[in-house]
Amino acid sequence: MRASLASSIAVTCAAVIALPVSLAAPAAAEVPPALGLPTAASAPPPALSAQPPAPELPGATQSLPLAPLGGSDRALGGGADGTDAQGLTRRDVRPFSLVGVVWDDPAAALHGAVQVRTRATGGDVWSPWQDVETHNEEHGADPETTEGAGRALKGSTAPLWVGDSDGVEIRVRGEEPLPEGLRLELVDPGEDPAVAAPVTRTAAAPGPQAGLNAAEAAVSAVNAQLAAYGATWIPALAMAAADITFPYLPRVQEAEVQPADALAQPDDALAQPQTEAQDVAVEPAVAAAPAKPYIGPRPKIITRKGWGADEKIREKGFVYTKSIKAAFVHHSATGNNYTCKQAPSVLRSIYRYHVKSSGWRDFGYNFAVDKCGNIYEGRAGGVAKPVLGAHTLGFNTNSMGIAVLGTFSKSAPPAAAVTAVARLTAWKLGLHGVNPKGTSYLVSGGGNRYKKGTKVRFHAISGHRDGFATECPGVRLYGKLGTARTSSAKYQGRR
């Protein structure tokens, strides 16, 4: 929670937004044909026939303005003028599965409580009142960036997954006057997309993929060294193969460790202005490969195509940072009432809430992990690349964000989810020469814990609360990060 906030609800983390940056692009690393992956020469998408056009992906958002509550509706209390108690009485609505509240000014905070109850589709039983996490400002673009000042941005609560519903009631109580323009967002993720066979590569001339629109083809192209075009998942890869596939690691293998007197010093080299890249496959500049890389086996990763991301709703362009020095672990704060089969629907709902309701450019986290340990591609730009996210306000540069779907303030995270975090970081941090048990320095872009320009030392695998005064990733998940560091290092082959 920011130091100035005075709310009874603990700060939690939810979804986020990205910042623009542009990087020089060296030649793509060549992949040995023996691995069964495309070489640099075969990377462009081939033309394909006999495939139907890409269907319109389902999904919709209902946006309902809140109104002052009066009389018996003011169950949470509030002043006589109604400025600090708003909501909606019970009503029928079109089907939805996720809720959230947004308001006009992204810089304004909602000090108070938000509660909703819903009715399952086709039924007549209403759920108990459920709390919606009100503090979401610790996510987003770092201060004074182009994305952080975007005119489309709105203030928002964390989203809450409620399952398939067609009735809703909401009440909002402010401890001080509520932000203007409060609206209830009801998100329908739509049906899961049909699984299509990935495109077979041919020697045909490069061109748009039939069956993939331009945005989908671009997202698939940046993973071209890892999977076929249109693939719904990227296969796991053994450690030895992973080492060969990415022979462009930084020369220094260990995470950077600076002397203690380097703390609280601005780092001009990391604070250079950043510009947006276009929707093309762009590799960050990197140094020569080390003699002995430590890269964990690549885990299976479900792609954006696999969980059904509608690529037309995100902002065009991929945004990269220079490297990945640390991984920040979050909980999504969307609740634990989902099944692993529903996880793709949860992701589509969060994605739509971030982009269409909150005005963000894309899904905020770089990766997501569900309670069964499945790993999902998050923000577009390529799972092996240093894609710039907006998961940890002030420390998005040179880091990655992993959201474990659920809320872990009181509930323990499943062992499968912690293991997935360890496997993912062993591979991704390994690509950038980072020891999961080591430490790295990042420079603050501004926040409630470290002022802009402060150089801060982090564990290579840290929690959101390490960079911002927040409850995220929940005390129970945060307590498992030591286990994740140890396991991740072992997966890299370190002693």
Side-chain angles (χ1 to χ4, degrees):
M1 185 186 304
R2 297 184 188 277
S4 61
L5 295 183
S7 170
S8 61
I9 299 182
V11 178
T12 62
C13 68
V16 293
I17 126 186
L19 318 173
V21 354
S22 148
L23 299 167
E30 186 171 337
V31 181
L35 294 178
L37 298 174
T39 63
S42 66
L48 186 72
S49 59
Q51 290 286 338
E56 292 293 322
L57 290 175
T61 301
Q62 301 170 70
S63 185
L64 309 177
L66 301 190
L69 294 176
S72 60
D73 295 328
R74 301 171 59 81
L76 287 178
D81 60 2
T83 57
D84 56 354
Q86 297 186 33
L88 295 172
T89 56
R90 290 187 183 186
R91 63 195 58 214
D92 297 335
V93 292
R94 297 189 303 276
F96 67 96
S97 295
L98 179 140
V99 303
V101 174
V102 300
W103 53 90
D104 294 340
D105 183 1
L110 195 167
H111 299 282
V114 176
Q115 293 182 316
V116 297
R117 56 183 173 188
T118 57
R119 183 188 62 207
T121 298
D124 56 8
V125 178
W126 286 78
S127 73
W129 286 105
Q130 298 184 74
D131 293 325
V132 177
E133 174 52 54
T134 60
H135 299 303
N136 198 34
E137 74 280 355
E138 68 267 31
H139 302 93
D142 291 343
E144 301 180 11
T145 64
T146 301
E147 185 66 25
R151 287 180 292 179
L153 296 178
K154 292 184 178 296
S156 62
T157 67
L160 177 68
W161 175 262
V162 295
D164 192 11
S165 306
D166 62 6
V168 69
E169 181 178 9
I170 182 171
R171 57 193 190 186
V172 180
R173 176 184 59 82
E175 296 172 351
E176 56 187 54
L178 293 168
E180 295 184 359
L182 289 173
R183 303 183 72 89
L184 172 64
E185 303 290 293
L186 305 175
V187 181
D188 171 20
E191 299 295 327
D192 289 333
V195 178
V199 173
T200 302
R201 300 179 181 277
T202 71
Q209 293 287 79
L212 296 178
N213 61 44
E216 289 172 334
V219 167
S220 189
V222 288
N223 287 322
Q225 288 186 313
L226 311 180
Y229 284 91
T232 57
W233 51 275
I234 294 168
L237 194 65
M239 182 184 297
D243 291 350
I244 297 171
T245 306
F246 294 94
Y248 51 78
L249 299 172
R251 188 174 299 278
V252 179
Q253 264 290 310
E254 300 302 317
E256 295 182 14
V257 178
Q258 303 289 344
D261 59 9
L263 283 171
Q265 298 298 317
D267 187 337
D268 295 335
L270 294 180
Q272 294 301 313
Q274 301 169 330
T275 56
E276 184 176 343
Q278 296 301 312
D279 237 355
V280 294
V282 178
E283 293 278 2
V286 291
K292 182 183 178 181
Y294 288 96
I295 309 175
R298 186 180 72 214
K300 175 183 174 181
I301 301 171
I302 299 169
T303 64
R304 289 170 65 94
K305 179 75 171 176
W307 55 263
D310 184 349
E311 300 299 348
K312 297 188 298 300
I313 71 171
R314 66 174 173 84
E315 188 173 324
K316 288 186 177 180
F318 304 137
V319 182
Y320 298 100
T321 186
K322 293 180 179 179
S323 184
I324 301 297
K325 295 183 177 182
F328 287 101
V329 178
H330 305 251
H331 63 180
S332 64
T334 47
N336 301 320
N337 295 324
Y338 74 94
T339 66
C340 295
K341 185 178 180 180
Q342 292 175 319
S345 295
V346 177
L347 292 173
R348 292 196 303 277
S349 298
I350 295 173
Y351 173 46
R352 180 171 283 273
Y353 181 72
H354 291 169
V355 176
K356 304 297 285 187
S357 300
S358 305
W360 300 344
R361 59 170 292 121
D362 193 359
F363 186 84
Y365 305 103
N366 299 101
F367 297 93
V369 172
D370 69 23
K371 62 175 65 176
C372 292
N374 297 306
I375 299 171
Y376 302 85
E377 178 183 17
R379 183 173 292 268
V383 297
K385 305 179 192 299
V387 178
L388 185 66
H391 41 84
T392 306
L393 184 66
F395 294 101
N396 294 307
T397 299
N398 295 328
S399 70
M400 60 183 276
I402 304 168
V404 181
L405 298 181
T407 303
F408 301 107
S409 304
K410 298 179 181 179
S411 299
V418 177
T419 298
V421 169
R423 289 186 179 277
L424 175 60
T425 52
W427 173 68
K428 187 63 182 279
L429 292 178
L431 296 181
H432 296 273
V434 176
N435 182 345
K437 294 176 68 175
T439 57
S440 296
Y441 278 84
L442 298 175
V443 176
S444 175
N448 71 350
R449 188 163 187 170
Y450 300 103
K451 66 181 182 180
K452 184 178 180 180
T454 303
K455 185 178 288 187
V456 183
R457 183 180 179 182
F458 290 102
H459 287 293
I461 300 176
S462 288
H464 186 182
R465 62 171 59 184
D466 294 319
F468 197 96
T470 171
E471 196 269 342
C472 182
V475 64
R476 302 296 297 274
L477 178 54
Y478 188 77
K480 296 293 184 180
L481 296 188
T483 299
R485 295 181 196 111
T486 300
S487 298
S488 182
K490 289 180 178 178
Y491 287 131
Q492 285 189 349
R494 300 177 187 270
R495 296 182 179 179

